[in-house]
Structure formats: C-alpha cells, structure tokens
Amino acid sequence: MATKIRDIMTGSPTSVSPELDIVTVARAMRDEDIGAVLVAEGDDLMGLVTDRDLVIRGLAAGGDPKQQKIGGIASTATATVGPDDSLDKAAQIMRERAVRRLPVIEDGRPVGIVTIGDLAMEKDEVSALADISAARPNT
C-alpha cells in the first residue's frame, strides 16, 4: 500500500500560462482527457483551473471566451503537498480546505497533482468513489 504522495500522484501535470484564453485551455483539457490544469508562470504556481471553473467562472460569466484569460478564472493554489508527504496529510488538507485536487510541489515547482479520487483508490479501493475514479470516462 502506498504511503507517500509520489506513489499515487499524476506526475508532469499540464501547466498553462495565465495569458492563454479559456477556449485554448478547454481544448487542451479535452485533448489530454484531463479535468484540471495548473496555471503557472515558469516554475511559479499561480493557481488551478478545473473543467467546472471553465463553465462557472468562464462561460457562464459571459463575454468572448477567446478573449478571456485563464488567469482570470483560476482558483488560487493556497493548498499544496510535497511528494514525500503522507496520504493522510493530503486527505486532511482536502477535508479542511474543501478541495478535490492538490498541486504537488517539490523544490518550489509543480511536479504533480493528487486528487481525491487518487486517495480513494489507494485508501479504500472498494468505495463508490474509488470505483467511479477508476472507471473509464464517458465520451
């Protein structure tokens, strides 16, 4: 059983510039079959954008999505974990902050992302959340 974040995290997370428009980022998420991207300038993590953010803060807000910058709708990444942190620490942070994804930071730069689904599959593989997280996406 994995005990450290590095054992379950998705490595080499997709990062985008805050200057990209939301349509470009949405297409990248579709093409890579991912539900979140990190927003960064170089190695400096600025935030996180989920597919839900694209809809709620982007499209539903109105305006031209080709002109709207992803940095304007990103959630600030206030909670992170390190690759050598425990799964329990990540679960505690997610619970306290009510977040489903945590960027993984090592030596000041993003190296991965861990999700509530990753934790569920590792800590309680017979749970409904683990089953849902392990299932192939509906496309």
Side-chain angles (χ1 to χ4, degrees):
M1 182 159 133
T3 59
K4 295 186 180 208
I5 295 299
R6 77 170 62 252
D7 299 327
I8 66 166
M9 72 181 194
T10 299
S12 302
T14 299
S15 294
V16 299
S17 164
E19 295 304 313
L20 284 178
D21 63 89
I22 66 173
V23 172
T24 299
V25 174
R27 287 179 179 150
M29 291 170 70
R30 175 200 62 200
D31 294 347
E32 294 182 37
D33 193 26
I34 55 176
V37 295
L38 300 179
V39 178
E41 286 188 294
D43 286 341
D44 294 329
L45 179 65
M46 299 179 65
L48 178 91
V49 170
T50 67
D51 44 10
R52 185 174 193 276
D53 294 331
L54 287 172
V55 173
I56 303 299
R57 294 188 191 144
L59 296 174
D64 183 355
K66 290 184 178 182
Q67 299 299 316
Q68 193 170 8
K69 305 298 182 202
I70 203 71
I73 67 166
S75 300
T76 305
T78 58
T80 63
V81 290
D84 293 320
D85 286 339
S86 71
L87 304 186
D88 288 338
K89 179 177 180 179
Q92 178 183 356
I93 292 170
M94 287 180 181
R95 187 178 305 113
E96 290 171 355
R97 301 287 180 101
V99 296
R100 294 174 178 87
R101 297 169 180 90
L102 291 172
V104 181
I105 305 296
E106 184 172 43
D107 298 327
R109 63 182 184 84
V111 296
I113 191 164
V114 65
T115 69
I116 194 169
D118 297 331
L119 292 174
M121 288 189 300
E122 185 60 33
K123 295 186 77 54
D124 189 6
E125 60 191 35
V126 297
S127 71
L129 181 56
D131 287 345
I132 293 166
S133 298
R136 295 176 53 115
N138 295 337
T139 55

